[in-house]
Amino acid sequence: MKKFSACTSILVGKKASLDGTIMIGRNEDAKAAWPKHFVVHQRGELGDQFVSKETKVKIPLPTPSFKYTATPEWTSKAGLFEEDGINEFNVAMSATESAYSNDLVLGFDPLVENGLNEEGMITVVLPFVKTAREGVQRLGKLIAQYGTGETNGVLFADDNEAWYFESGAGHYWVAQRIPDDAYAVAGNQLAIQEVDFNDSRNFLYHQGIQEFVEQHHLNPQPTGFNFRQIFGTADRSDAIYSTPRVWSGHQMFSARQATNETPESQSLPFIMKPDQLISVFDVQDYLGSHYQGTPYDPIGTGDMHDRHRYRPISLAKTQESHILQMNRPHGNDIHWLAMGVTAESSFVPFFADINETAAAYRRGKLPAQPNSAYWIFKHAGVLVDSDIHNLLPLLEDVQKNVNQAAIKFIEEMDQAKLNLDSNWEYYITKQNTAFAQQILRKYQQLTAELITKLTDNSPLNFNTDENL
């Protein structure tokens, strides 16, 4: 049995989205109680060398580093794990979607114990690239040189295109450009299928990968180069852990085309065309999904076995969920961030131009802190969990209110940038901080209401005679 990793990812091309934006998003899943911070690194903040606390690899860095947003761990004891961000050149990156390589491939190119892992990928790539394609190439070069100790998928986007990068062994990798009129979802399984080595616009790859596969007789097909089939896995574990989440995405966005798909299929396509254009709220719904409307919803009304048959997309171990929305009007790209369990939180929009984040987003440790954004969202979710069917409607009302407020805020800020002559970064930082604090107050008010309603749920209740 595999040591299961987590995360679920989605990428949406600009002609597949409702408003012409490019979106990459992912749930970061690790531990049910493990706070994240949200920060802005200023230009030149990084030094000239990265040293991994996890693997001890040392990687020289260009100078100066670019400004970028990030969501590091609350403690750097085991490493930074910055996970997602947008830099000053409007490049977005999310790392990583954990996956698995098969034993045959790893026998010839083992994972590297002291290589570049998820812990450092954002830190050594995002602050040094000016396009998504450059991001793919830099990460690929570093993995080829230093190796990696994990099999991972990494998402990149800029204001022109989105890319999905996958490492398939200790040093070998491929990347595919998401077509403008398509989307893709991935869930802890290598996803890229046929690689066209003659199509440099849509595919990038380790220059030695074809020779490696041919030399070691790794391709089970006489023609073509199916990266997932050659490097990945397709066992029972994948069928119950990974593919149902991909199936769920296809049912949400391409139901008319995916009528013959099943949750356990091992041949689900990576690139899909949506039945209708996808909004940012559609992406939020996917990342917050737990198979609602199917027998597999763990909080639904289905058979107990079915309800726990498949691993849901949103689950208790989500630390944060993000959507990096690019190609927006006037360069106002947005880092949407939901702290804690996606289904029980709200995505708050942060403009990539901000100079710092709200103080509550820079706090949070163990044990819980009441003034931490991570813990404010988690507190409300934990209370809802105690009586989910009765209390979930209260949470959903707040989520709808936040969504509407977010759209209004974004529209106002887009207009403000058009009319502002200077000091945009100062202005948007101040306004974004105020908006983030407003959303936190909504969740604190929800928590107060939930506590009030739960006070009568004690097992020590007794029907006391009113005359006593």
Side-chain angles (χ1 to χ4, degrees):
M1 180 66 70
K2 297 170 183 172
K3 180 182 178 182
F4 287 130
S5 296
C7 302
T8 306
S9 297
I10 179 170
L11 308 94
V12 181
K14 58 187 172 185
K15 292 183 180 179
S17 72
L18 187 62
D19 56 0
T21 60
I22 297 168
M23 292 176 279
I24 59 173
R26 182 172 60 89
N27 287 353
E28 180 191 357
D29 306 330
K31 299 177 182 179
W34 198 251
K36 296 293 293 189
H37 293 175
F38 180 45
V39 302
V40 177
H41 292 291
Q42 299 301 325
R43 175 179 268 259
E45 186 173 313
L46 302 185
D48 59 3
Q49 181 177 247
F50 169 79
V51 181
S52 168
K53 290 189 177 181
E54 180 188 32
T55 70
K56 313 307 179 187
V57 66
K58 297 180 180 179
I59 299 176
L61 300 177
T63 55
S65 57
F66 306 148
K67 174 185 172 185
Y68 68 106
T69 59
T71 61
E73 304 278 72
W74 69 277
T75 172
S76 62
K77 185 175 181 180
L80 293 174
F81 291 92
E82 295 201 292
E83 297 298 315
D84 47 277
I86 303 174
N87 75 16
E88 64 179 278
F89 290 98
N90 301 99
V91 179
M93 179 179 175
S94 175
T96 67
E97 179 70 38
S98 302
Y100 305 93
S101 301
N102 63 61
D103 292 341
L104 185 60
V105 164
L106 293 179
F108 292 110
D109 183 26
L111 297 176
V112 178
E113 185 176 348
N114 61 339
L116 174 60
N117 290 351
E118 173 179 350
E119 172 223 351
M121 286 184 180
I122 293 288
T123 312
V124 302
V125 175
L126 184 59
F128 308 103
V129 296
K130 295 184 179 181
T131 67
R133 181 180 290 261
E134 281 185 25
V136 169
Q137 293 168 327
R138 176 167 172 79
L139 179 58
K141 181 179 179 180
L142 291 173
I143 286 179
Q145 179 177 353
Y146 295 98
T148 181
E150 304 164 342
T151 300
N152 281 315
V154 182
L155 299 74
F156 290 93
D158 55 25
D159 288 340
N160 295 307
E161 57 188 5
W163 284 82
Y164 192 59
F165 173 108
E166 289 188 316
S167 60
H171 300 84
Y172 292 96
W173 61 274
V174 300
Q176 182 171 2
R177 181 183 181 274
I178 307 303
D180 292 342
D181 62 349
Y183 74 94
V185 290
N188 300 137
Q189 187 180 32
L190 287 178
I192 296 174
Q193 295 169 305
E194 287 296 328
V195 178
D196 185 346
F197 293 101
N198 296 314
D199 184 0
S200 59
R201 180 173 183 268
N202 294 299
F203 292 93
L204 294 169
Y205 48 87
H206 186 293
Q207 290 300 310
I209 194 170
Q210 290 172 279
E211 180 182 356
F212 170 74
V213 169
E214 183 177 351
Q215 177 184 351
H216 298 294
H217 310 288
L218 300 175
N219 193 343
Q221 299 294 337
T223 60
F225 194 98
N226 187 313
F227 181 74
R228 180 198 300 175
Q229 194 173 70
I230 297 169
F231 284 82
T233 58
D235 56 26
R236 180 61 186 162
S237 298
D238 294 307
I240 62 173
Y241 194 77
S242 299
T243 63
R245 285 175 279 155
V246 177
W247 167 82
S248 179
H250 293 178
Q251 296 304 306
M252 289 182 69
F253 303 124
S254 307
R256 292 199 298 267
Q257 307 164 49
T259 54
N260 295 323
E261 291 187 2
T262 66
E264 298 185 18
S265 172
Q266 297 283 15
S267 57
L268 298 177
F270 175 52
I271 302 296
M272 292 288 288
K273 301 287 182 68
D275 290 341
Q276 62 185 30
L277 298 177
I278 298 171
S279 74
V280 67
F281 290 153
D282 292 330
V283 176
Q284 291 181 16
D285 287 344
Y286 175 67
L287 293 174
S289 170
H290 41 88
Y291 306 121
Q292 298 96 310
T294 78
Y296 314 120
D297 185 353
I299 61 172
T301 58
D303 174 83
M304 181 64 73
H305 176 71
D306 284 341
R307 283 162 51 192
H308 299 283
R309 182 189 296 267
Y310 303 129
R311 189 267 208 208
I313 293 167
S314 177
L315 74 172
K317 292 186 177 181
T318 303
Q319 296 173 268
E320 54 87 16
S321 182
H322 53 271
I323 301 168
L324 309 179
Q325 190 176 22
M326 315 301 289
N327 194 39
R328 292 199 67 259
H330 325 304
N332 281 358
D333 295 337
I334 295 177
H335 188 148
W336 294 84
L337 185 62
M339 287 290 196
V341 180
T342 317
E344 298 175 343
S345 183
S346 283
F347 282 88
V348 179
F350 291 91
F351 284 82
D353 291 336
I354 57 175
N355 281 326
E356 66 176 7
T357 58
Y361 278 83
R362 289 177 270 129
R363 300 190 194 107
K365 58 183 179 180
L366 295 177
Q369 288 178 278
N371 62 349
S372 155
Y374 172 88
W375 285 113
I376 288 170
F377 287 109
K378 288 287 286 187
H379 191 181
V382 169
L383 292 174
V384 168
D385 285 341
S386 67
D387 191 4
I388 194 162
H389 293 290
N390 289 320
L391 299 179
L392 187 59
L394 296 176
L395 171 61
E396 290 174 338
D397 285 345
V398 173
Q399 290 174 322
K400 291 176 182 177
N401 183 278
V402 169
N403 283 346
Q404 294 168 24
I407 294 302
K408 181 181 179 182
F409 171 70
I410 291 169
E411 176 68 15
E412 291 174 349
M413 294 305 101
D414 283 345
Q415 290 300 315
K417 188 172 185 180
L418 282 176
N419 300 322
L420 203 65
D421 294 331
S422 60
N423 296 324
W424 164 248
E425 290 187 358
Y426 171 81
Y427 177 82
I428 191 58
T429 300
K430 182 178 179 180
Q431 296 299 317
N432 224 146
T433 296
F435 181 76
Q437 291 170 337
Q438 174 188 330
I439 302 308
L440 291 178
R441 285 194 295 271
K442 289 180 184 294
Y443 269 79
Q444 288 169 325
Q445 291 165 1
L446 171 63
T447 295
E449 184 178 359
L450 292 170
I451 291 173
T452 303
K453 286 185 175 296
L454 285 166
T455 54
D456 202 35
N457 285 6
S458 171
L460 295 177
N461 267 329
F462 189 82
N463 291 325
T464 304
D465 189 325
E466 294 181 0
N467 296 317
L468 296 179

